Amino acid sequence: MAGAEEQEPLADRLGSRPVVASEVVHHGMIWDVVRETVELGDAGPVTREFVRHPGAVSVVALDDRDRLAMVQQYRHPVRALEWEVPAGLLDVDGEDPWVAAARELHEEADLRADEWHVLVDYYSSPGGMDEALRVYLARGLSHVPEDDRHEREGEELGMPVRWVDLDEAQDAVLAGRVHNPSAVIGILAAHAARERGWGTLRPHDAPWPEHPSHR
């Protein structure tokens, strides 16, 4: 708008407020529930409970025909067989996030990639957990040889892999037929990035200060 004051680029701002009390109220199998009291200055202290989470990565793996690899998993909390992109927890100490993403692509979709970029970062539910997620774009794909494939179990046993055109995937998201957050965000981000000639991509090892282990 003409005459408007120049503003800084739109960006979240990291900055923790003083924590005056903290306790673990539930030790979970994968993540814990913690209760913390934080001092908010003029607003005074507030107490919040949230899930402490190791974080996760996911992969939009595109072939040379702009089809992405999607996998289907049963997710019991929502009682649904969801179409997702390959993804997994950052639960290996010292493992770089992009290496974790490559491992998940190998294990869940029997794929390898020669080219890796950061596509988009997000928090899954910042009011209720500290989970930070990074979505990668993987290209230059090849299949993992049969003898080197991961032996799946649990929800991953018999998990199908489906190749979906990126335009078709975007249509499915906008029509409300796909609900997994990493799939929704990754598909829309990949479609937007392609429209911009992939100029928005970041290096695979781009800084990630939003992840708790990187602060």
Side-chain angles (χ1 to χ4, degrees):
M1 189 171 78
E5 293 184 5
E6 187 174 340
Q7 299 182 8
E8 295 181 357
L10 182 67
D12 295 337
R13 183 169 50 127
L14 292 174
S16 180
R17 300 296 187 263
V19 176
V20 298
S22 180
E23 63 176 317
V24 178
V25 296
H26 173 71
H27 287 283
M29 297 172 60
I30 299 175
W31 43 71
D32 299 332
V33 177
V34 300
R35 180 184 296 127
E36 292 190 341
T37 300
V38 59
E39 178 58 57
L40 295 182
D42 292 342
V46 297
T47 300
R48 297 289 183 266
E49 292 181 350
F50 61 94
V51 173
R52 181 166 288 155
H53 194 286
V57 290
S58 60
V59 186
V60 173
L62 280 184
D63 69 6
D64 56 6
R65 295 164 55 189
D66 278 359
R67 300 179 307 167
L68 68 149
M70 300 193 72
V71 297
Q72 189 182 55
Q73 281 198 67
Y74 175 66
R75 296 300 189 181
H76 184 67
V78 294
R79 273 63 169 182
L81 282 162
E82 283 199 326
W83 282 105
E84 308 178 356
V85 293
L89 298 171
L90 291 171
D91 54 0
V92 178
D93 288 341
E95 186 177 47
D96 286 338
W98 81 271
V99 174
R103 174 171 52 81
E104 293 297 339
L105 183 63
H106 180 157
E107 293 179 358
E108 294 195 353
D110 301 323
L111 293 170
R112 293 172 176 159
D114 293 330
E115 186 180 345
W116 289 87
H117 288 93
V118 174
L119 185 59
V120 67
D121 299 325
Y122 73 99
Y123 294 121
S124 60
S125 182
M129 62 173 61
D130 66 357
E131 181 184 23
L133 298 100
R134 170 160 278 188
V135 185
Y136 290 88
L137 178 71
R139 292 178 291 183
L141 304 179
S142 60
H143 290 280
V144 174
E146 194 79 34
D147 292 343
D148 293 336
R149 293 184 178 180
H150 178 69
E151 187 173 339
R152 302 185 186 114
E153 57 186 19
E155 293 95 338
E156 296 179 353
L157 184 64
M159 182 170 62
V161 178
R162 178 173 175 176
W163 290 93
V164 185
D165 180 82
L166 184 56
D167 289 330
E168 178 188 345
Q170 184 199 47
D171 290 344
V173 168
L174 297 178
R177 301 195 303 270
V178 172
H179 305 89
N180 177 267
S182 285
V184 169
I185 292 170
I187 289 167
L188 295 181
H191 199 278
R194 187 182 65 177
E195 292 298 303
R196 300 184 181 196
W198 303 113
T200 60
L201 299 179
R202 286 173 281 156
H204 71 277
D205 56 354
W208 191 13
E210 295 79 15
H211 189 275
S213 68
H214 295 194
R215 293 174 190 166

